[in-house]
Amino acid sequence: MRILLVSADPRTREWMALTVRSLARAVGEEPEVLEASDGLTGVRLAWRHLPDVVVLDEITSRAGAFAVALELKQSGRPFPGRVVVFLDRSVDAWLARWAGADAWFVKPVNPFEVAERLEGFLAEARKEAV
């Protein structure tokens, strides 16, 4: 299980990593956590490592969260993972949907809701792999 976290804010990446690592017991394995501090690096890491889930903070710099989601979900080649966006404003939900995000959460984000959604995505990925 591999998850990529993309945020310009190191504290947000740390919080996201703690949330992701809390999934270990539920999914039966320790997640491999990759991190990027900007969108361009996030895109490169996503295509190189093909994580199961990419979590994007809307404040991502050098290619924002919506640009990264578009690149991954609507490019010519299909991205196999799920994309989750953390929004600063609820009115941006339509942008997340337009960009192809599989899920989005409005800040302040409830870590239990995020963990539950990620756990569901990972369970679906395991079923598809069988």
Side-chain angles (χ1 to χ4, degrees), residues 12-89:
T12 299
R13 287 195 313 275
E14 181 180 343
W15 171 86
M16 291 166 32
L18 287 171
T19 299
V20 166
R21 287 188 177 98
S22 74
L23 295 171
R25 181 178 295 150
V27 298
E29 66 179 285
E30 186 69 31
E32 178 183 350
V33 178
L34 305 170
E35 294 185 21
S37 61
D38 65 78
L40 295 178
T41 303
V43 167
R44 283 194 302 274
L45 287 173
W47 284 117
R48 182 180 310 136
H49 297 284
L50 299 175
D52 299 295
V53 180
V54 177
V55 181
L56 303 164
D57 186 6
E58 188 175 355
I59 66 162
T60 300
S61 62
R62 294 181 60 217
F66 304 121
V68 174
L70 269 171
E71 169 66 28
L72 297 177
K73 299 303 274 188
Q74 299 185 28
S75 68
R77 56 187 172 167
F79 181 75
R82 303 294 187 132
V83 174
V84 176
V85 177
F86 291 166
L87 303 172
D88 289 326
R89 308 173 315 160

Side-chain angles (χ1 to χ4, degrees), residues 104-115:
W104 49 88
F105 297 90
V106 179
K107 295 176 190 174
V109 175
N110 181 327
F112 297 106
E113 290 177 6
V114 173

